[in-house]
Amino acid sequence: MPTLLILGGTGEARRLASVLPPTYRVISSLAGRVADPVLPAGEVRIGGFGGPAGLAAYLRAERIDTVVDATHPFAAQISANAALACAEAHVPLIVLRRPGYAVAGHRVPSLEAAAELLPSLGRRVFLTTGRQSIGHFRDPGTHYLLRCVDEPDEVPSNVDVIRDRGPFTVDGEVALMREHAIEVLVTKDSGGDMTAAKLEAAERLGIPVVVVDRPPVTPGVPVCASVEEVTARLIG
Ligand code: NAP
């Protein structure tokens, strides 16, 4: 029976684990960042592997036949590790990356660049860039609304935190942005329908959007844009 390792932490990774036929042994791997994760179907392992060497050793020990890197487009470290480990262990790797947002917005290459740009756009900022991003946004003259799954370790006094993992609706996002008098939205170019409601809401309200570009995929690794593309590639 072929064994597939899915590097997960996304809705697509969960969907992939649930649609593969029982002729596959499927192991999903989660980083363990979220306190109460939504678990995929089938076998699940949680926690880091110990860098590329640890992942390569795991691939050999579990006799993994194929790895699907279905991690979040901004989880750059694990994706780089997967490319190195798969090359070392001679295991085929497929990257599953949903397409990015079509919105133009104010495109920036990094969270640092987003923080630099913000004061020119507004002082009441809706941050949807994850709890670990809060350290980049330190302007004392700005008020931040941070939406994230888990509470950040440290919350400065000019930051309000809303804990929510969605799904979100356009009407709900409009109401939230109005309630908090939001002047500018910051998002990563994560892509996916789940999070697109905020973009439509911002457009409806005429609120500028700062979009942080995603890091590139390792050159030479095949990329699929959907779960269906991955299954077609695996099963034919
Ligand atoms: P990262 O910076 O790319 O990875 C840091 C380290 O975490 C990796 O070196 C690896 O540790 C471990 N790791 C990450 N993903 C793993 C996985 N699926 N299974 C086992 N170990 C994993 O990752 P991140 O940005 O912190 O994201 C962590 C997880 O949250 C990912 O699974 C990702 O899909 C999910 N996520 C991330 C974001 C985001 O914006 N970054 C958003 C939503 C969900 P070792 O080196 O010890 O193996």
Side-chain angles (χ1 to χ4, degrees):
M1 182 182 278
T3 303
L4 187 78
L5 174 67
I6 302 174
L7 300 171
T10 58
E12 287 85 358
R14 281 193 298 277
R15 204 152 68 74
L16 179 62
S18 70
V19 299
L20 284 163
T23 46
Y24 275 88
R25 179 184 174 210
V26 178
I27 306 171
S28 293
S29 174
L30 302 177
R33 296 272 189 288
V34 175
D36 177 23
V38 184
L39 292 178
E43 289 179 52
V44 179
R45 65 160 302 285
I46 297 183
F49 296 95
L55 178 51
Y58 178 88
L59 299 179
R60 289 196 193 96
E62 291 293 330
R63 298 175 180 277
I64 303 293
D65 294 292
T66 305
V67 175
V68 178
D69 171 9
T71 57
H72 190 272
F74 281 80
Q77 187 62 59
I78 186 69
S79 292
N81 292 358
L84 287 169
C86 286
E88 192 194 317
H90 304 289
V91 174
L93 170 66
I94 300 169
V95 170
L96 169 54
R97 279 288 172 285
R98 56 197 178 206
Y101 294 133
V103 294
H106 297 267
R107 291 264 167 186
V108 291
S110 63
L111 291 166
E112 292 81 354
E116 258 175 47
L117 179 66
L118 280 176
S120 67
L121 297 173
R123 294 285 177 182
R124 294 193 60 85
V125 175
F126 184 18
L127 292 176
T128 60
T129 42
R131 96 188 135 104
Q132 291 177 56
S133 71
I134 189 64
H136 294 279
F137 299 96
R138 294 283 191 202
D139 175 23
T142 295
H143 184 273
Y144 302 100
L145 174 67
L146 171 70
R147 182 169 65 199
C148 47
V149 177
D150 285 322
E151 188 79 14
D153 297 334
E154 188 206 336
V155 183
S157 59
N158 59 338
V159 178
D160 281 336
V161 177
I162 296 182
R163 286 183 58 192
D164 199 343
R165 56 161 51 118
F168 306 108
T169 64
V170 178
D171 287 345
E173 298 291 58
V174 166
L176 182 72
M177 291 189 214
R178 279 207 177 115
E179 184 193 339
H180 292 269
I182 293 301
E183 294 170 352
V184 51
L185 165 70
V186 186
T187 179
K188 293 175 175 173
D189 187 9
S190 304
D193 295 344
M194 258 277 288
T195 49
K198 62 190 169 193
L199 297 173
E200 206 177 318
E203 195 182 345
R204 226 191 250 180
L205 294 169
I207 289 172
V209 181
V210 178
V211 183
V212 182
D213 281 332
R214 41 174 73 179
V217 173
T218 305
V221 177
V223 180
C224 294
S226 66
V227 168
E228 290 67 31
E229 254 186 64
V230 174
T231 52
R233 205 180 173 102
L234 288 171
I235 301 160

